[in-house]
Amino acid sequence: MRERAGDAAEVEWLLDTAFAPGRTALSSYRLREGVEPVAELCLVARDEYDAVVGAIRHWPVRIGPEGAPALLLGPVAVHPTRQGEGLGAILIGEAMERAGDLGWTRVLLVGDEPYYGRFGFRRGPAEGVEFPPPTNPARILARELVPGAMAGVAGRVRRWTETERRDADG
Ligand SMILES: CC(C)(COP(=O)(O)OP(=O)(O)OC[C@H]1O[C@@H](n2cnc3c(N)ncnc32)[C@H](O)[C@@H]1OP(=O)(O)O)[C@@H](O)C(=O)NCCC(=O)NCCS
């Protein structure tokens, strides 16, 4: 289920198919530029022919003046012919479980609360969290993987530099 090195082109194709053109112009992509995704949290769903029909990736980010570490969920996409079968829910659920096991405590995303609410993502804990403009603040959602992890965490979300990643890895 983990994305393998050879899957990258297939995953990019899936994202291009599922999203409107120009997806990489979205402000959340500014937080991903030049930063490696969290490999353990890049997952794919395959069909019976081994083709990639769903994918989810996560990037590390920092929030606010303290640089609180957080995961940025997404992009997540399911092929249009396979949507509504629960694949998105499986990918998100599996990723959140793995994220908790890896020690991540908070997850952010930019998306629809009516969909992501079912996975515990809410506007409330993301109040005061700012994404690069132009991001609609109402679409900034957060989930605490550890209760209270968003308490007192607010401010601008910024990129996670490679130096910081090395520090975090010890
Ligand atoms: C969003 C997406 C990943 C969900 O994957 P999926 O496998 O279809 O999702 P699931 O089968 O787990 O869930 C389907 C349910 O979510 C609902 N849903 C999907 N997108 C939604 C949205 N934006 N807002 C509210 N509900 C949504 C469906 O109506 C369906 O509802 P139901 O369970 O009541 O029938 C997929 O639809 C997709 O790739 N969309 C295009 C790319 C995209 O928008 N990605 C997310 C960007 S924030």
Side-chain angles (χ1 to χ4, degrees):
M1 198 161 183
R2 239 184 75 185
E3 185 184 327
R4 299 184 296 251
D7 291 336
E10 225 180 329
V11 171
E12 289 298 323
W13 175 83
L14 173 68
L15 295 174
D16 286 341
T17 306
F19 283 92
R23 64 183 169 91
T24 59
L26 295 172
S27 53
S28 49
Y29 275 81
R30 303 289 81 74
L31 297 166
R32 301 179 178 123
E33 277 168 0
V35 184
E36 289 296 313
V38 180
E40 299 92 331
L41 301 176
C42 293
L43 309 178
V44 294
R46 295 173 187 283
D47 67 8
E48 63 271 37
Y49 306 107
D50 215 32
V52 173
V53 290
I56 189 168
R57 287 171 167 168
H58 293 76
W59 263 261
V61 292
R62 297 266 180 188
I63 311 171
E66 311 281 315
L71 279 175
L72 175 60
L73 184 155
V76 54
V78 170
H79 192 277
T81 60
R82 300 296 304 265
Q83 288 175 8
E85 297 178 18
L87 291 174
I90 290 171
L91 287 168
I92 295 170
E94 176 77 22
M96 291 303 96
E97 200 173 310
R98 291 182 186 212
D101 290 346
L102 289 167
W104 293 92
T105 62
R106 52 184 88 81
V107 188
L108 299 177
L109 63 81
V110 179
D112 298 327
E113 192 166 6
Y115 181 64
Y116 291 103
R118 66 189 79 180
F119 309 108
F121 285 88
R122 301 267 179 273
R123 176 71 199 122
E127 208 70 57
V129 173
E130 300 162 31
F131 269 67
T135 303
N136 177 356
R139 289 171 54 79
I140 303 173
L141 311 178
R143 172 174 165 182
E144 296 175 334
L145 295 176
V146 171
M150 284 303 295
V153 176
R156 281 200 197 144
V157 178
R158 62 175 173 82
R159 284 193 298 173
W160 182 296
T161 69
E162 288 307 305
T163 327
E164 287 173 328
R165 182 192 287 263
R166 278 197 293 275
D167 289 349
D169 287 347

Short mmCIF file of all heavy atoms in Angstrom, two decimals, residues 38 40 60-62 67-71 102-104 160-170:
data_model
loop_
_atom_site.label_atom_id
_atom_site.label_comp_id
_atom_site.label_asym_id
_atom_site.label_seq_id
_atom_site.Cartn_x
_atom_site.Cartn_y
_atom_site.Cartn_z
N VAL A 38 6.58 12.82 3.45
CA VAL A 38 6.86 11.79 4.46
C VAL A 38 6.59 10.44 3.79
O VAL A 38 5.44 10.07 3.55
CB VAL A 38 5.95 11.98 5.70
CG1 VAL A 38 6.24 10.90 6.74
CG2 VAL A 38 6.13 13.37 6.29
N GLU A 40 6.65 7.34 4.54
CA GLU A 40 5.81 6.32 5.19
C GLU A 40 4.32 6.65 5.07
O GLU A 40 3.47 5.80 5.33
CB GLU A 40 6.15 6.20 6.69
CG GLU A 40 7.56 5.79 6.99
CD GLU A 40 8.50 6.98 7.17
OE1 GLU A 40 8.23 8.05 6.56
OE2 GLU A 40 9.49 6.84 7.89
N PRO A 60 5.59 17.33 5.76
CA PRO A 60 5.78 17.95 7.07
C PRO A 60 5.75 19.47 6.93
O PRO A 60 6.25 20.01 5.93
CB PRO A 60 7.17 17.47 7.48
CG PRO A 60 7.91 17.32 6.18
CD PRO A 60 6.87 16.95 5.13
N VAL A 61 5.16 20.16 7.88
CA VAL A 61 5.15 21.63 7.89
C VAL A 61 5.40 22.11 9.32
O VAL A 61 5.42 21.31 10.26
CB VAL A 61 3.81 22.23 7.38
CG1 VAL A 61 3.61 21.97 5.89
CG2 VAL A 61 2.62 21.71 8.19
N ARG A 62 5.59 23.40 9.44
CA ARG A 62 5.76 24.02 10.76
C ARG A 62 4.69 25.08 10.93
O ARG A 62 4.36 25.80 9.99
CB ARG A 62 7.13 24.69 10.84
CG ARG A 62 8.29 23.74 10.70
CD ARG A 62 8.76 23.31 12.05
NE ARG A 62 9.87 22.38 11.96
CZ ARG A 62 10.34 21.74 13.02
NH1 ARG A 62 9.81 21.94 14.21
NH2 ARG A 62 11.34 20.91 12.89
N GLY A 67 7.21 27.12 15.53
CA GLY A 67 7.52 26.09 14.53
C GLY A 67 6.98 24.72 14.91
O GLY A 67 7.64 23.70 14.68
N ALA A 68 5.77 24.70 15.48
CA ALA A 68 5.19 23.41 15.90
C ALA A 68 5.09 22.47 14.70
O ALA A 68 4.53 22.82 13.67
CB ALA A 68 3.80 23.64 16.50
N PRO A 69 5.64 21.25 14.81
CA PRO A 69 5.59 20.32 13.68
C PRO A 69 4.18 19.80 13.44
O PRO A 69 3.46 19.51 14.41
CB PRO A 69 6.51 19.17 14.10
CG PRO A 69 6.90 19.40 15.50
CD PRO A 69 6.35 20.70 15.98
N ALA A 70 3.81 19.71 12.18
CA ALA A 70 2.50 19.17 11.83
C ALA A 70 2.61 18.48 10.49
O ALA A 70 3.54 18.73 9.71
CB ALA A 70 1.47 20.30 11.75
N LEU A 71 1.65 17.61 10.22
CA LEU A 71 1.54 17.00 8.90
C LEU A 71 0.56 17.81 8.08
O LEU A 71 -0.45 18.28 8.60
CB LEU A 71 0.98 15.59 9.03
CG LEU A 71 1.91 14.46 9.41
CD1 LEU A 71 1.08 13.19 9.58
CD2 LEU A 71 3.00 14.26 8.37
N LEU A 102 3.82 6.91 14.05
CA LEU A 102 5.12 7.53 13.79
C LEU A 102 5.41 8.69 14.75
O LEU A 102 6.48 9.29 14.70
CB LEU A 102 5.18 8.06 12.35
CG LEU A 102 5.26 7.00 11.25
CD1 LEU A 102 4.98 7.62 9.89
CD2 LEU A 102 6.62 6.32 11.25
N GLY A 103 4.41 9.03 15.57
CA GLY A 103 4.64 10.07 16.57
C GLY A 103 4.16 11.46 16.19
O GLY A 103 4.39 12.42 16.93
N TRP A 104 3.48 11.59 15.03
CA TRP A 104 2.92 12.89 14.69
C TRP A 104 1.72 13.17 15.60
O TRP A 104 0.97 12.26 15.94
CB TRP A 104 2.48 12.92 13.23
CG TRP A 104 3.63 12.83 12.29
CD1 TRP A 104 4.15 11.70 11.74
CD2 TRP A 104 4.44 13.92 11.81
NE1 TRP A 104 5.24 12.02 10.94
CE2 TRP A 104 5.43 13.36 10.98
CE3 TRP A 104 4.41 15.30 12.01
CZ2 TRP A 104 6.40 14.15 10.33
CZ3 TRP A 104 5.36 16.08 11.37
CH2 TRP A 104 6.34 15.51 10.55
N TRP A 160 8.87 23.10 5.86
CA TRP A 160 9.78 22.36 6.75
C TRP A 160 11.09 22.24 6.00
O TRP A 160 11.15 21.59 4.96
CB TRP A 160 9.15 20.99 7.01
CG TRP A 160 9.90 20.09 7.94
CD1 TRP A 160 11.13 19.56 7.76
CD2 TRP A 160 9.39 19.57 9.17
NE1 TRP A 160 11.44 18.74 8.81
CE2 TRP A 160 10.39 18.72 9.70
CE3 TRP A 160 8.20 19.72 9.90
CZ2 TRP A 160 10.24 18.05 10.89
CZ3 TRP A 160 8.06 19.05 11.08
CH2 TRP A 160 9.06 18.23 11.58
N THR A 161 12.13 22.84 6.49
CA THR A 161 13.39 22.79 5.73
C THR A 161 14.09 21.45 5.98
O THR A 161 13.85 20.79 6.98
CB THR A 161 14.34 23.93 6.13
OG1 THR A 161 14.78 23.66 7.46
CG2 THR A 161 13.65 25.27 6.06
N GLU A 162 14.94 21.10 5.05
CA GLU A 162 15.65 19.82 5.17
C GLU A 162 16.54 19.78 6.42
O GLU A 162 16.71 18.75 7.03
CB GLU A 162 16.47 19.55 3.92
CG GLU A 162 15.60 19.20 2.72
CD GLU A 162 14.63 18.06 3.00
OE1 GLU A 162 15.06 16.98 3.41
OE2 GLU A 162 13.41 18.25 2.81
N THR A 163 17.08 20.92 6.79
CA THR A 163 17.91 20.97 8.00
C THR A 163 17.07 20.56 9.21
O THR A 163 17.51 19.79 10.06
CB THR A 163 18.42 22.41 8.24
OG1 THR A 163 18.61 23.02 6.99
CG2 THR A 163 19.67 22.42 9.07
N GLU A 164 15.84 21.10 9.25
CA GLU A 164 14.97 20.77 10.37
C GLU A 164 14.62 19.29 10.38
O GLU A 164 14.53 18.67 11.41
CB GLU A 164 13.69 21.60 10.30
CG GLU A 164 13.92 23.04 10.66
CD GLU A 164 12.70 23.89 10.42
OE1 GLU A 164 11.94 23.59 9.50
OE2 GLU A 164 12.52 24.86 11.17
N ARG A 165 14.44 18.74 9.14
CA ARG A 165 14.09 17.32 9.10
C ARG A 165 15.22 16.48 9.71
O ARG A 165 14.98 15.56 10.47
CB ARG A 165 13.82 16.88 7.67
CG ARG A 165 13.41 15.41 7.62
CD ARG A 165 13.43 14.87 6.23
NE ARG A 165 12.32 15.39 5.45
CZ ARG A 165 11.18 14.73 5.27
NH1 ARG A 165 11.00 13.59 5.85
NH2 ARG A 165 10.23 15.24 4.54
N ARG A 166 16.46 16.84 9.37
CA ARG A 166 17.58 16.09 9.94
C ARG A 166 17.59 16.22 11.46
O ARG A 166 17.78 15.24 12.16
CB ARG A 166 18.90 16.58 9.36
CG ARG A 166 19.19 15.97 7.99
CD ARG A 166 20.66 16.12 7.63
NE ARG A 166 21.02 17.51 7.42
CZ ARG A 166 20.86 18.14 6.28
NH1 ARG A 166 20.33 17.53 5.26
NH2 ARG A 166 21.22 19.40 6.15
N ASP A 167 17.32 17.45 11.94
CA ASP A 167 17.28 17.64 13.39
C ASP A 167 16.22 16.74 14.03
O ASP A 167 16.46 16.10 15.04
CB ASP A 167 16.95 19.11 13.74
CG ASP A 167 18.12 20.02 13.39
OD1 ASP A 167 19.20 19.47 13.09
OD2 ASP A 167 17.92 21.23 13.39
N ALA A 168 15.02 16.74 13.39
CA ALA A 168 13.91 15.98 13.96
C ALA A 168 14.21 14.49 13.97
O ALA A 168 13.80 13.77 14.86
CB ALA A 168 12.62 16.25 13.18
N ASP A 169 14.96 14.04 12.94
CA ASP A 169 15.29 12.63 12.88
C ASP A 169 16.40 12.28 13.89
O ASP A 169 16.70 11.13 14.10
CB ASP A 169 15.79 12.26 11.47
CG ASP A 169 14.64 12.24 10.48
OD1 ASP A 169 13.49 12.27 10.94
OD2 ASP A 169 14.89 12.20 9.27
N GLY A 170 17.00 13.32 14.46
CA GLY A 170 18.08 13.09 15.42
C GLY A 170 19.35 12.76 14.66
O GLY A 170 20.21 12.08 15.16
#
